[in-house]
Amino acid sequence: MSLSIGLLLLTANTVLKVHGYSNGRVQSSCDSMIPEHGFAPQASTAPYTVSASNTSYNAGDEITVTVAGNLGNNFKGFLLEARATPEGDQPLGTFRIIDPNTQALDCSGTKTAVSHTTSDRKQQVKAVWIAPQQNVGAIEFRVTVLHDMQSFWINVQTTINSSIPVTPSDGSTAPTTTAQADSVHISADQCGTTKFCFINPPECNPELPNCYFMSVAKGNNRDYKFEISGSSNGYISIGLSDDKFMGNDDVYICVLGSSGKVNLVHAYTTGRTTPISRSLEAIINITTVYENGIIKCAFTSRNITTDRTYYILYAHGPASNGYIQKHQSDPYISQVKVDISAPTLALGGTRSKVVIKVHGALMLIAWMCIGSMGMIIARYFKRAWKGKRFQKKDLWFQIHRSLMMLTVGVTIIAFVLSFVHVQGLSSNASPHPFIGSVVMGLTLLQPTIAVMRPPPSERRRFIFNWVHRITALLTKVLAVATIFLGIQLITQSNGLIGHIMGGCVAWEAIFYIIMEIIQCCTRNELQETEDQKVTFF
């Protein structure tokens, strides 16, 4: 089978590949706690819970942790760890196995995580967590639960506190309760004079509906006083980000609970998934209220890093029983990075997806249509159109060259559009832009190689032929993989668009197989004809 088919099939296999870990040996996911299945986590509220036998612990205590499905929901696999809040990047303590359906894993330590042993359906599993010998503050039991290969939830969690109070680094104590007020007055007065403000639409009144507002006033030392308000019957939230995209952001969420009370949640986002809750120990003077359809929160944070600028992301959306859901509209985003300690006024607009959609459409046209046609012409029509010429050159070559140069042009336009839109490449970006940059480089390299090709009669012409083919196929493979990654960024999962794209790749692979068979048979027939001519004469 030709190199074309092999690499094209490798593309489909690489992009749609699924890593199965039915035995639960998922050490590769210890840090991220995200399965390597090739699918995105569910954005809905998890139909599972994790609970602890105690609400606090002392050093060396044993706590029974239970992972269970709600309302009859079962699951195939899970990964459970205990981490400190808010900076829980490593598992803490150890686990003792008491359930035959579970096993201990070594994640940055011995027996620091628990997972399944088989992919059999389970309704509930238990394990015993043994607290470390030193006080590490509040502990968050965090679990990823897998219903099947494509449906799983991350950041299902519960928190227990240390019986020994944890003191902030400045020596003061910080209350973590939220005070419900009869009224919280939030005003745009003094914006740009004594406090930083972010507002949408411009000049709206935060005391009235359909106004989304936040302000920050610098206090003493590390204190930053926040005020947030907005129309919502679910939640409002602000994120402090290094770029204009969700991921690796410090987030404050004011969420309306089922009792009608508003709670403040401090969280951290790891991507386009449910934010991970963090401790409120460095948050003081919290007051909230829900009145006339407007959620209002006021609090003082000591978590802000000084001498830094941020993009402000403001999102609002629905909530269910105090659990936030995916926001249905694009967040409001500051036009530039801002210094929240400086008294200024920033306006928030939505990040339009039109440019990104145009970028994606152009890449699809370039690599799933024009580029594919150009490669097919070169591969299968060179012999079929033998002797046919246009402008003193072979017809197949003229069409092939025109199609591939058009592919280069469309790719350049799509590449420039995306980079101008996002204002450069962020170090925290997904693999999509990095692989896309490689594709752009190979796309420019290919015509450069073609310009320097030797004459057909040159003895070393075969070297150019192979380099040209391999570079083209490598570019095609990476381009298709990048398109899949782009689809996942937009839709948060492969979904219908991903399946359609997969079908297109599969169809192209089948087409190549059929054409190779036809070409092989034709070649054999021509050889038999030549043999018969030799015998006749």
Side-chain angles (χ1 to χ4, degrees):
M1 189 172 291
S2 72
L3 183 61
S4 303
I5 300 172
L7 282 176
L8 191 60
L9 290 176
L10 178 62
T11 300
N13 180 65
T14 300
V15 176
L16 300 177
K17 176 172 68 172
V18 172
H19 297 286
Y21 295 99
S22 59
N23 62 3
R25 309 302 295 178
V26 292
Q27 285 89 338
S28 60
S29 297
C30 282
D31 293 336
S32 66
M33 297 192 72
I34 299 177
E36 297 181 350
H37 295 162
F39 297 95
Q42 299 296 308
S44 59
T45 301
Y48 307 101
T49 59
V50 56
S51 58
S53 57
N54 291 342
T55 57
S56 62
Y57 73 93
N58 290 307
D61 279 357
E62 295 191 357
I63 308 292
T64 300
V65 184
T66 303
V67 179
N70 297 332
L71 302 175
N73 285 285
N74 52 34
F75 53 95
K76 284 187 173 183
F78 73 98
L79 176 62
L80 170 67
E81 294 181 10
R83 297 190 179 188
T85 59
E87 299 177 358
D89 56 351
Q90 295 292 330
L92 297 172
T94 58
F95 284 94
R96 178 163 55 84
I97 301 304
I98 58 174
D99 190 319
N101 292 316
T102 65
Q103 62 183 327
L105 298 181
D106 297 341
C107 292
S108 302
T110 304
K111 298 181 178 181
T112 53
V114 182
S115 72
H116 53 283
T117 55
T118 69
S119 60
D120 294 341
R121 293 286 180 183
K122 295 167 276 289
Q123 179 67 39
Q124 176 181 282
V125 293
K126 293 186 176 184
V128 174
W129 179 71
I130 303 173
Q133 294 302 314
Q134 70 278 6
N135 173 40
V136 291
I139 289 293
E140 178 180 85
F141 291 111
R142 190 181 305 171
V143 63
T144 296
V145 187
L146 183 94
H147 180 264
D148 55 40
M149 201 66 70
Q150 299 185 31
S151 303
F152 62 91
W153 286 260
I154 63 173
N155 301 329
V156 182
Q157 56 194 243
T158 190
T159 302
I160 63 172
N161 294 309
S162 170
S163 297
I164 305 173
V166 178
T167 302
S169 58
D170 62 358
S172 64
T173 58
T176 60
T177 57
T178 300
Q180 301 294 319
D182 294 331
S183 179
V184 175
H185 179 66
I186 295 179
S187 171
D189 295 342
Q190 305 303 315
C191 284
T193 303
T194 62
K195 62 184 180 181
F196 166 84
C197 295
F198 177 81
I199 190 168
N200 188 285
E203 300 181 0
C204 65
N205 185 346
E207 293 290 333
L208 298 178
N210 301 316
C211 182
Y212 299 93
F213 176 85
M214 66 89 68
S215 68
V216 184
K218 180 71 171 68
N220 297 325
N221 300 323
R222 297 165 50 207
D223 291 355
Y224 287 81
K225 183 180 179 181
F226 284 77
E227 296 177 334
I228 312 173
S229 69
S231 297
S232 178
N233 58 4
Y235 71 91
I236 58 174
S237 64
I238 60 164
L240 306 180
S241 178
D242 287 326
D243 53 35
K244 293 186 176 183
F245 296 89
M246 181 177 173
N248 301 322
D249 307 325
D250 195 32
V251 180
Y252 298 91
I253 307 169
C254 303
V255 57
L256 183 64
S258 56
S259 64
K261 295 182 178 180
V262 176
N263 293 309
L264 176 68
V265 178
H266 182 208
Y268 183 79
T269 61
T270 57
R272 296 166 66 93
T273 59
T274 304
I276 301 171
S277 296
R278 308 181 78 173
S279 171
L280 288 173
E281 290 177 8
I283 312 295
I284 61 174
N285 303 329
I286 304 171
T287 55
T288 65
V289 71
Y290 180 66
E291 56 181 356
N292 301 322
I294 301 174
I295 295 176
K296 299 179 183 179
C297 292
F299 58 91
T300 298
S301 175
R302 293 173 175 171
N303 284 307
I304 306 301
T305 302
T306 58
D307 300 324
R308 280 191 62 182
T309 57
Y310 304 92
Y311 284 105
I312 305 297
L313 281 61
Y314 189 119
H316 60 95
S320 176
N321 296 320
Y323 291 93
I324 68 171
Q325 309 292 309
K326 177 185 174 183
H327 49 84
Q328 302 301 314
S329 58
D330 289 340
Y332 302 118
I333 305 172
S334 61
Q335 298 173 358
V336 296
K337 281 188 172 182
V338 296
D339 180 2
I340 61 173
S341 64
T344 54
L345 176 62
L347 302 180
T350 58
R351 184 184 67 246
S352 173
K353 293 183 179 179
V354 173
V355 175
I356 294 299
K357 289 180 179 179
V358 171
H359 161 79
L362 290 175
M363 284 301 191
L364 280 170
I365 292 170
W367 292 105
M368 296 305 296
C369 183
I370 305 173
S372 295
M373 290 171 60
M375 296 173 73
I376 289 170
I377 293 292
R379 176 68 183 168
Y380 301 113
F381 287 81
K382 185 176 182 178
R383 290 189 180 91
W385 291 347
K386 187 175 182 179
K388 296 183 178 181
R389 299 177 69 81
F390 178 74
Q391 295 291 323
K392 299 181 180 182
K393 292 187 179 293
D394 290 339
L395 177 62
W396 73 266
F397 176 75
Q398 295 282 40
I399 297 176
H400 166 73
R401 181 172 62 179
S402 299
L403 289 173
M404 298 317 296
M405 290 307 296
L406 183 58
T407 300
V408 172
V410 173
T411 302
I412 291 173
I413 294 172
F415 184 82
V416 171
L417 278 176
S418 64
F419 263 67
V420 170
H421 179 67
V422 300
Q423 299 180 2
L425 183 62
S426 169
S427 60
N428 297 321
S430 71
H432 173 79
F434 293 102
I435 302 177
S437 298
V438 175
V439 171
M440 186 70 257
L442 291 172
T443 302
L444 296 174
L445 176 64
Q446 188 70 330
T448 304
I449 295 174
V451 168
M452 297 186 294
R453 68 186 183 279
S457 58
E458 170 65 39
R459 184 168 57 90
R460 296 185 178 87
R461 170 72 179 228
F462 75 95
I463 297 176
F464 160 77
N465 290 340
W466 278 106
V467 171
H468 189 61
R469 292 167 185 165
I470 292 173
T471 305
L473 288 168
L474 179 60
T475 308
K476 170 75 173 181
V477 168
L478 292 177
V480 172
T482 306
I483 291 172
F484 270 101
L485 292 171
I487 291 172
Q488 194 172 48
L489 282 175
I490 294 175
T491 63
Q492 300 193 33
S493 64
N494 283 333
L496 178 61
I497 300 177
H499 293 322
I500 294 173
M501 179 66 186
C504 292
V505 174
W507 175 87
E508 190 169 351
I510 293 171
F511 176 83
Y512 271 104
I513 293 172
I514 294 173
M515 291 300 294
E516 285 295 317
I517 294 173
I518 293 174
Q519 184 163 278
C520 183
C521 293
T522 304
R523 188 182 298 115
N524 291 337
E525 290 176 0
L526 290 174
Q527 184 63 45
E528 290 176 3
T529 301
E530 291 297 326
D531 292 342
Q532 290 173 0
K533 289 181 179 179
V534 171
T535 303
F536 178 78
F537 285 108

